[in-house]
Amino acid sequence: MADDALFEFLHMEMVAHIYKEQASQAEMEQERTTSISILEGMGFRVGQGLIERITKDTSGFKDDLDIMKFICKDFWISMFRKQIDNLRTNHQGTYVLQDNKFALLTQFSNGKQYMEDAPKYLAFSCGLVRGALCNLGLDSVVTAEVSTMPSCKFQVVIQKT
């Protein structure tokens, strides 16, 4: 339990530190995009390292769906102490992972006043998933959306080459 609180606090401080360097209103939108990119990049590297540790004793995966199931169970449990609540796919490379009580959003009120700040608190997690998938051989685009706090959906689109 203390580990969870420490990780949540570290995450909040990372976001605050990166966003603190916004200068003027005119530069705010570009700074926001840059800050989200930085957080996503940090998550990417952590996801790469974490998936190496988790899969070292795992046999190979048979397909993309098998990898996504692994992300939703084992990877998510190691990161957030629970598995994804719902996984959906169109069987054409698009997956939607729904977490009804996402750990990094639970410290916020359920009201609408924090909705515009949600993307900056999801960028690191999008990077985590993208980094893990990259190390498992899947290039992807990962986005997140929040319709009601603290629930969120991660959309993963596998890039076919």
Short mmCIF file of all heavy atoms in Angstrom, two decimals, residues 87-137:
data_model
loop_
_atom_site.label_atom_id
_atom_site.label_comp_id
_atom_site.label_asym_id
_atom_site.label_seq_id
_atom_site.Cartn_x
_atom_site.Cartn_y
_atom_site.Cartn_z
N LEU A 87 -11.30 -5.42 -22.02
CA LEU A 87 -10.51 -5.36 -23.24
C LEU A 87 -11.42 -5.62 -24.42
O LEU A 87 -12.14 -6.61 -24.44
CB LEU A 87 -9.39 -6.40 -23.22
CG LEU A 87 -8.63 -6.62 -24.54
CD1 LEU A 87 -7.86 -5.37 -24.94
CD2 LEU A 87 -7.69 -7.81 -24.43
N ARG A 88 -11.41 -4.71 -25.38
CA ARG A 88 -12.21 -4.88 -26.60
C ARG A 88 -11.29 -4.74 -27.80
O ARG A 88 -10.30 -4.01 -27.75
CB ARG A 88 -13.32 -3.83 -26.68
CG ARG A 88 -14.35 -4.00 -25.61
CD ARG A 88 -15.39 -2.91 -25.69
NE ARG A 88 -16.27 -3.04 -24.55
CZ ARG A 88 -17.57 -3.23 -24.65
NH1 ARG A 88 -18.14 -3.31 -25.83
NH2 ARG A 88 -18.30 -3.34 -23.58
N THR A 89 -11.67 -5.41 -28.89
CA THR A 89 -10.90 -5.32 -30.11
C THR A 89 -11.81 -5.42 -31.33
O THR A 89 -12.90 -6.00 -31.24
CB THR A 89 -9.81 -6.42 -30.19
OG1 THR A 89 -9.07 -6.24 -31.39
CG2 THR A 89 -10.42 -7.80 -30.16
N ASN A 90 -11.35 -4.85 -32.43
CA ASN A 90 -12.08 -5.01 -33.69
C ASN A 90 -11.43 -6.10 -34.55
O ASN A 90 -11.80 -6.30 -35.69
CB ASN A 90 -12.14 -3.68 -34.46
CG ASN A 90 -10.78 -3.21 -34.93
OD1 ASN A 90 -9.74 -3.82 -34.66
ND2 ASN A 90 -10.77 -2.11 -35.65
N HIS A 91 -10.43 -6.79 -34.01
CA HIS A 91 -9.68 -7.85 -34.67
C HIS A 91 -8.97 -7.35 -35.93
O HIS A 91 -8.67 -8.12 -36.82
CB HIS A 91 -10.57 -9.06 -34.99
CG HIS A 91 -11.13 -9.70 -33.76
ND1 HIS A 91 -10.36 -10.46 -32.91
CD2 HIS A 91 -12.37 -9.67 -33.23
CE1 HIS A 91 -11.11 -10.88 -31.90
NE2 HIS A 91 -12.34 -10.40 -32.07
N GLN A 92 -8.72 -6.05 -35.99
CA GLN A 92 -7.98 -5.47 -37.10
C GLN A 92 -6.85 -4.58 -36.58
O GLN A 92 -6.44 -3.64 -37.26
CB GLN A 92 -8.92 -4.66 -38.00
CG GLN A 92 -9.96 -5.53 -38.66
CD GLN A 92 -10.96 -4.71 -39.46
OE1 GLN A 92 -10.95 -3.48 -39.43
NE2 GLN A 92 -11.85 -5.39 -40.16
N GLY A 93 -6.40 -4.86 -35.38
CA GLY A 93 -5.27 -4.12 -34.82
C GLY A 93 -5.62 -2.98 -33.89
O GLY A 93 -4.74 -2.25 -33.45
N THR A 94 -6.89 -2.80 -33.56
CA THR A 94 -7.29 -1.75 -32.62
C THR A 94 -7.84 -2.40 -31.36
O THR A 94 -8.71 -3.27 -31.43
CB THR A 94 -8.36 -0.83 -33.24
OG1 THR A 94 -7.82 -0.24 -34.42
CG2 THR A 94 -8.76 0.27 -32.27
N TYR A 95 -7.32 -1.96 -30.22
CA TYR A 95 -7.72 -2.51 -28.92
C TYR A 95 -8.10 -1.34 -28.01
O TYR A 95 -7.46 -0.29 -28.04
CB TYR A 95 -6.57 -3.29 -28.28
CG TYR A 95 -6.13 -4.46 -29.11
CD1 TYR A 95 -5.15 -4.31 -30.09
CD2 TYR A 95 -6.68 -5.71 -28.94
CE1 TYR A 95 -4.75 -5.37 -30.87
CE2 TYR A 95 -6.28 -6.79 -29.71
CZ TYR A 95 -5.32 -6.61 -30.68
OH TYR A 95 -4.92 -7.67 -31.45
N VAL A 96 -9.12 -1.55 -27.20
CA VAL A 96 -9.53 -0.56 -26.21
C VAL A 96 -9.45 -1.22 -24.84
O VAL A 96 -10.10 -2.23 -24.58
CB VAL A 96 -10.95 -0.02 -26.47
CG1 VAL A 96 -11.36 0.95 -25.38
CG2 VAL A 96 -11.02 0.65 -27.84
N LEU A 97 -8.62 -0.64 -23.97
CA LEU A 97 -8.43 -1.14 -22.61
C LEU A 97 -9.14 -0.17 -21.68
O LEU A 97 -8.82 1.02 -21.68
CB LEU A 97 -6.95 -1.19 -22.25
CG LEU A 97 -6.03 -2.17 -22.97
CD1 LEU A 97 -5.85 -1.84 -24.44
CD2 LEU A 97 -4.70 -2.21 -22.29
N GLN A 98 -10.08 -0.67 -20.89
CA GLN A 98 -10.82 0.20 -19.99
C GLN A 98 -10.48 -0.14 -18.55
O GLN A 98 -10.56 -1.28 -18.13
CB GLN A 98 -12.33 0.06 -20.20
CG GLN A 98 -13.10 1.00 -19.30
CD GLN A 98 -14.56 1.13 -19.69
OE1 GLN A 98 -14.96 0.71 -20.76
NE2 GLN A 98 -15.33 1.71 -18.81
N ASP A 99 -10.11 0.90 -17.81
CA ASP A 99 -9.84 0.79 -16.39
C ASP A 99 -10.85 1.69 -15.68
O ASP A 99 -10.81 2.91 -15.83
CB ASP A 99 -8.41 1.23 -16.07
CG ASP A 99 -7.98 0.88 -14.66
OD1 ASP A 99 -8.85 0.82 -13.77
OD2 ASP A 99 -6.77 0.69 -14.45
N ASN A 100 -11.78 1.08 -14.93
CA ASN A 100 -12.86 1.85 -14.30
C ASN A 100 -12.43 2.63 -13.08
O ASN A 100 -13.15 3.53 -12.63
CB ASN A 100 -14.02 0.92 -13.94
CG ASN A 100 -14.67 0.34 -15.17
OD1 ASN A 100 -14.71 0.97 -16.22
ND2 ASN A 100 -15.15 -0.89 -15.07
N LYS A 101 -11.26 2.30 -12.52
CA LYS A 101 -10.74 3.03 -11.36
C LYS A 101 -9.23 3.15 -11.52
O LYS A 101 -8.46 2.53 -10.79
CB LYS A 101 -11.11 2.29 -10.07
CG LYS A 101 -10.96 3.13 -8.84
CD LYS A 101 -11.50 2.45 -7.61
CE LYS A 101 -11.32 3.36 -6.42
NZ LYS A 101 -11.67 2.68 -5.17
N PHE A 102 -8.84 3.96 -12.48
CA PHE A 102 -7.43 4.09 -12.82
C PHE A 102 -6.66 4.73 -11.67
O PHE A 102 -7.00 5.82 -11.20
CB PHE A 102 -7.25 4.89 -14.10
CG PHE A 102 -5.85 4.94 -14.61
CD1 PHE A 102 -5.16 3.77 -14.87
CD2 PHE A 102 -5.22 6.14 -14.81
CE1 PHE A 102 -3.86 3.81 -15.33
CE2 PHE A 102 -3.91 6.19 -15.28
CZ PHE A 102 -3.23 5.01 -15.53
N ALA A 103 -5.61 4.06 -11.23
CA ALA A 103 -4.88 4.44 -10.03
C ALA A 103 -4.35 5.88 -10.06
O ALA A 103 -4.34 6.56 -9.04
CB ALA A 103 -3.72 3.47 -9.80
N LEU A 104 -3.90 6.35 -11.22
CA LEU A 104 -3.31 7.68 -11.28
C LEU A 104 -4.34 8.80 -11.38
O LEU A 104 -3.99 9.97 -11.42
CB LEU A 104 -2.32 7.76 -12.44
CG LEU A 104 -1.15 6.77 -12.33
CD1 LEU A 104 -0.24 6.90 -13.53
CD2 LEU A 104 -0.37 6.96 -11.03
N LEU A 105 -5.63 8.43 -11.43
CA LEU A 105 -6.69 9.44 -11.44
C LEU A 105 -7.55 9.40 -10.18
O LEU A 105 -8.38 10.28 -9.98
CB LEU A 105 -7.60 9.25 -12.66
CG LEU A 105 -6.97 9.49 -14.03
CD1 LEU A 105 -7.99 9.21 -15.12
CD2 LEU A 105 -6.42 10.89 -14.15
N THR A 106 -7.36 8.42 -9.32
CA THR A 106 -8.23 8.28 -8.15
C THR A 106 -8.04 9.39 -7.13
O THR A 106 -8.94 9.64 -6.33
CB THR A 106 -8.03 6.91 -7.46
OG1 THR A 106 -6.65 6.76 -7.14
CG2 THR A 106 -8.51 5.78 -8.34
N GLN A 107 -6.90 10.06 -7.14
CA GLN A 107 -6.67 11.13 -6.17
C GLN A 107 -7.43 12.41 -6.52
O GLN A 107 -7.50 13.33 -5.73
CB GLN A 107 -5.17 11.41 -5.98
CG GLN A 107 -4.49 11.99 -7.18
CD GLN A 107 -3.85 10.94 -8.08
OE1 GLN A 107 -4.27 9.80 -8.10
NE2 GLN A 107 -2.83 11.34 -8.80
N PHE A 108 -8.02 12.45 -7.72
CA PHE A 108 -8.80 13.61 -8.13
C PHE A 108 -10.27 13.41 -7.81
O PHE A 108 -10.76 12.29 -7.76
CB PHE A 108 -8.65 13.85 -9.64
CG PHE A 108 -7.25 14.20 -10.05
CD1 PHE A 108 -6.45 13.27 -10.68
CD2 PHE A 108 -6.73 15.45 -9.78
CE1 PHE A 108 -5.17 13.58 -11.04
CE2 PHE A 108 -5.44 15.77 -10.14
CZ PHE A 108 -4.65 14.83 -10.77
N SER A 109 -10.96 14.51 -7.67
CA SER A 109 -12.39 14.48 -7.45
C SER A 109 -13.09 13.91 -8.68
O SER A 109 -12.59 13.99 -9.79
CB SER A 109 -12.89 15.90 -7.19
OG SER A 109 -14.29 15.96 -7.26
N ASN A 110 -14.27 13.35 -8.48
CA ASN A 110 -15.03 12.80 -9.59
C ASN A 110 -15.73 13.86 -10.42
O ASN A 110 -16.36 13.57 -11.42
CB ASN A 110 -16.07 11.79 -9.09
CG ASN A 110 -15.43 10.54 -8.56
OD1 ASN A 110 -14.26 10.27 -8.83
ND2 ASN A 110 -16.18 9.76 -7.80
N GLY A 111 -15.62 15.11 -10.04
CA GLY A 111 -16.27 16.20 -10.76
C GLY A 111 -15.61 16.51 -12.09
O GLY A 111 -14.55 16.00 -12.43
N LYS A 112 -16.25 17.38 -12.84
CA LYS A 112 -15.78 17.75 -14.17
C LYS A 112 -14.62 18.75 -14.15
O LYS A 112 -13.98 18.97 -15.17
CB LYS A 112 -16.94 18.35 -14.98
CG LYS A 112 -18.08 17.40 -15.23
CD LYS A 112 -17.76 16.50 -16.38
CE LYS A 112 -18.97 15.65 -16.74
NZ LYS A 112 -18.61 14.54 -17.58
N GLN A 113 -14.34 19.37 -13.00
CA GLN A 113 -13.36 20.45 -12.97
C GLN A 113 -11.93 19.99 -13.30
O GLN A 113 -11.10 20.80 -13.68
CB GLN A 113 -13.38 21.19 -11.62
CG GLN A 113 -12.86 20.41 -10.44
CD GLN A 113 -13.93 19.66 -9.67
OE1 GLN A 113 -14.94 19.27 -10.25
NE2 GLN A 113 -13.74 19.47 -8.40
N TYR A 114 -11.64 18.69 -13.20
CA TYR A 114 -10.28 18.20 -13.47
C TYR A 114 -10.18 17.53 -14.84
O TYR A 114 -9.12 17.03 -15.19
CB TYR A 114 -9.83 17.23 -12.39
CG TYR A 114 -9.71 17.88 -11.04
CD1 TYR A 114 -10.63 17.60 -10.04
CD2 TYR A 114 -8.69 18.78 -10.78
CE1 TYR A 114 -10.53 18.21 -8.79
CE2 TYR A 114 -8.58 19.39 -9.54
CZ TYR A 114 -9.50 19.09 -8.55
OH TYR A 114 -9.40 19.69 -7.33
N MET A 115 -11.24 17.51 -15.61
CA MET A 115 -11.25 16.80 -16.89
C MET A 115 -10.21 17.33 -17.87
O MET A 115 -9.57 16.56 -18.57
CB MET A 115 -12.64 16.85 -17.53
CG MET A 115 -13.70 16.10 -16.76
SD MET A 115 -13.41 14.34 -16.70
CE MET A 115 -13.92 13.92 -18.35
N GLU A 116 -10.01 18.64 -17.91
CA GLU A 116 -9.05 19.18 -18.86
C GLU A 116 -7.60 18.88 -18.46
O GLU A 116 -6.71 18.92 -19.29
CB GLU A 116 -9.25 20.67 -19.09
CG GLU A 116 -8.85 21.54 -17.93
CD GLU A 116 -9.08 23.01 -18.23
OE1 GLU A 116 -10.14 23.35 -18.78
OE2 GLU A 116 -8.19 23.82 -17.89
N ASP A 117 -7.36 18.57 -17.18
CA ASP A 117 -6.02 18.22 -16.72
C ASP A 117 -5.71 16.74 -16.88
O ASP A 117 -4.56 16.33 -16.76
CB ASP A 117 -5.84 18.60 -15.25
CG ASP A 117 -5.74 20.10 -15.05
OD1 ASP A 117 -5.32 20.79 -16.01
OD2 ASP A 117 -6.07 20.57 -13.95
N ALA A 118 -6.71 15.93 -17.14
CA ALA A 118 -6.53 14.48 -17.20
C ALA A 118 -5.47 14.03 -18.21
O ALA A 118 -4.67 13.15 -17.89
CB ALA A 118 -7.86 13.78 -17.47
N PRO A 119 -5.40 14.61 -19.42
CA PRO A 119 -4.41 14.11 -20.39
C PRO A 119 -2.97 14.15 -19.89
O PRO A 119 -2.19 13.23 -20.19
CB PRO A 119 -4.59 15.04 -21.60
CG PRO A 119 -6.00 15.50 -21.51
CD PRO A 119 -6.29 15.60 -20.04
N LYS A 120 -2.62 15.16 -19.13
CA LYS A 120 -1.24 15.21 -18.66
C LYS A 120 -0.93 14.12 -17.64
O LYS A 120 0.21 13.72 -17.49
CB LYS A 120 -0.89 16.61 -18.14
CG LYS A 120 -1.61 17.06 -16.92
CD LYS A 120 -1.22 18.51 -16.61
CE LYS A 120 -1.90 19.05 -15.40
NZ LYS A 120 -1.60 20.46 -15.19
N TYR A 121 -1.95 13.63 -16.95
CA TYR A 121 -1.74 12.55 -15.99
C TYR A 121 -1.85 11.17 -16.64
O TYR A 121 -1.63 10.15 -15.99
CB TYR A 121 -2.73 12.68 -14.82
CG TYR A 121 -2.40 13.88 -13.97
CD1 TYR A 121 -3.08 15.08 -14.14
CD2 TYR A 121 -1.38 13.82 -13.03
CE1 TYR A 121 -2.75 16.19 -13.38
CE2 TYR A 121 -1.05 14.93 -12.27
CZ TYR A 121 -1.73 16.11 -12.45
OH TYR A 121 -1.39 17.21 -11.71
N LEU A 122 -2.19 11.12 -17.92
CA LEU A 122 -2.30 9.85 -18.64
C LEU A 122 -1.15 9.64 -19.63
O LEU A 122 -0.95 8.53 -20.10
CB LEU A 122 -3.63 9.78 -19.39
CG LEU A 122 -4.87 9.80 -18.51
CD1 LEU A 122 -6.12 9.92 -19.36
CD2 LEU A 122 -4.93 8.56 -17.64
N ALA A 123 -0.39 10.69 -19.92
CA ALA A 123 0.68 10.60 -20.92
C ALA A 123 1.74 9.57 -20.53
O ALA A 123 2.19 8.78 -21.36
CB ALA A 123 1.32 11.97 -21.12
N PHE A 124 2.16 9.56 -19.28
CA PHE A 124 3.17 8.61 -18.81
C PHE A 124 2.67 7.18 -19.01
O PHE A 124 3.40 6.32 -19.49
CB PHE A 124 3.48 8.87 -17.33
CG PHE A 124 4.54 7.98 -16.75
CD1 PHE A 124 5.88 8.24 -16.98
CD2 PHE A 124 4.19 6.88 -15.98
CE1 PHE A 124 6.86 7.42 -16.44
CE2 PHE A 124 5.16 6.06 -15.44
CZ PHE A 124 6.50 6.32 -15.66
N SER A 125 1.40 6.93 -18.68
CA SER A 125 0.83 5.59 -18.81
C SER A 125 0.72 5.17 -20.27
O SER A 125 0.94 4.00 -20.59
CB SER A 125 -0.54 5.53 -18.15
OG SER A 125 -0.41 5.90 -16.79
N CYS A 126 0.39 6.09 -21.15
CA CYS A 126 0.37 5.78 -22.59
C CYS A 126 1.76 5.36 -23.04
O CYS A 126 1.91 4.41 -23.81
CB CYS A 126 -0.10 6.98 -23.40
SG CYS A 126 -1.86 7.34 -23.25
N GLY A 127 2.77 6.05 -22.55
CA GLY A 127 4.14 5.68 -22.87
C GLY A 127 4.53 4.33 -22.31
O GLY A 127 5.25 3.56 -22.97
N LEU A 128 4.06 4.02 -21.10
CA LEU A 128 4.32 2.69 -20.52
C LEU A 128 3.84 1.58 -21.44
O LEU A 128 4.57 0.63 -21.74
CB LEU A 128 3.59 2.54 -19.18
CG LEU A 128 4.18 3.13 -17.93
CD1 LEU A 128 3.19 2.99 -16.78
CD2 LEU A 128 5.48 2.47 -17.58
N VAL A 129 2.61 1.70 -21.89
CA VAL A 129 2.01 0.67 -22.74
C VAL A 129 2.74 0.60 -24.08
O VAL A 129 3.08 -0.48 -24.56
CB VAL A 129 0.50 0.93 -22.94
CG1 VAL A 129 -0.09 -0.05 -23.94
CG2 VAL A 129 -0.23 0.84 -21.60
N ARG A 130 3.01 1.76 -24.67
CA ARG A 130 3.69 1.78 -25.97
C ARG A 130 5.09 1.20 -25.88
O ARG A 130 5.52 0.44 -26.75
CB ARG A 130 3.73 3.22 -26.51
CG ARG A 130 4.10 3.29 -27.98
CD ARG A 130 3.95 4.71 -28.52
NE ARG A 130 4.93 5.63 -27.99
CZ ARG A 130 6.17 5.78 -28.48
NH1 ARG A 130 6.57 5.07 -29.50
NH2 ARG A 130 6.98 6.65 -27.94
N GLY A 131 5.82 1.51 -24.80
CA GLY A 131 7.16 0.96 -24.60
C GLY A 131 7.15 -0.54 -24.40
O GLY A 131 7.99 -1.26 -24.95
N ALA A 132 6.19 -1.02 -23.62
CA ALA A 132 6.07 -2.47 -23.40
C ALA A 132 5.75 -3.18 -24.71
O ALA A 132 6.38 -4.20 -25.04
CB ALA A 132 4.98 -2.75 -22.37
N LEU A 133 4.81 -2.64 -25.47
CA LEU A 133 4.45 -3.26 -26.75
C LEU A 133 5.62 -3.22 -27.74
O LEU A 133 5.84 -4.18 -28.49
CB LEU A 133 3.23 -2.58 -27.35
CG LEU A 133 1.91 -2.82 -26.61
CD1 LEU A 133 0.81 -1.94 -27.18
CD2 LEU A 133 1.51 -4.29 -26.66
N CYS A 134 6.37 -2.14 -27.73
CA CYS A 134 7.52 -2.02 -28.63
C CYS A 134 8.54 -3.11 -28.33
O CYS A 134 9.07 -3.75 -29.24
CB CYS A 134 8.15 -0.64 -28.48
SG CYS A 134 9.57 -0.36 -29.55
N ASN A 135 8.81 -3.36 -27.05
CA ASN A 135 9.76 -4.40 -26.69
C ASN A 135 9.24 -5.80 -27.00
O ASN A 135 10.02 -6.74 -27.11
CB ASN A 135 10.13 -4.31 -25.20
CG ASN A 135 11.54 -3.82 -25.01
OD1 ASN A 135 12.11 -3.19 -25.89
ND2 ASN A 135 12.10 -4.11 -23.86
N LEU A 136 7.93 -5.93 -27.13
CA LEU A 136 7.34 -7.22 -27.51
C LEU A 136 7.17 -7.33 -29.02
O LEU A 136 6.56 -8.27 -29.52
CB LEU A 136 6.00 -7.41 -26.80
CG LEU A 136 6.08 -7.53 -25.28
CD1 LEU A 136 4.68 -7.57 -24.67
CD2 LEU A 136 6.88 -8.76 -24.87
N GLY A 137 7.69 -6.35 -29.76
CA GLY A 137 7.69 -6.41 -31.21
C GLY A 137 6.51 -5.77 -31.91
O GLY A 137 6.31 -5.98 -33.10
#
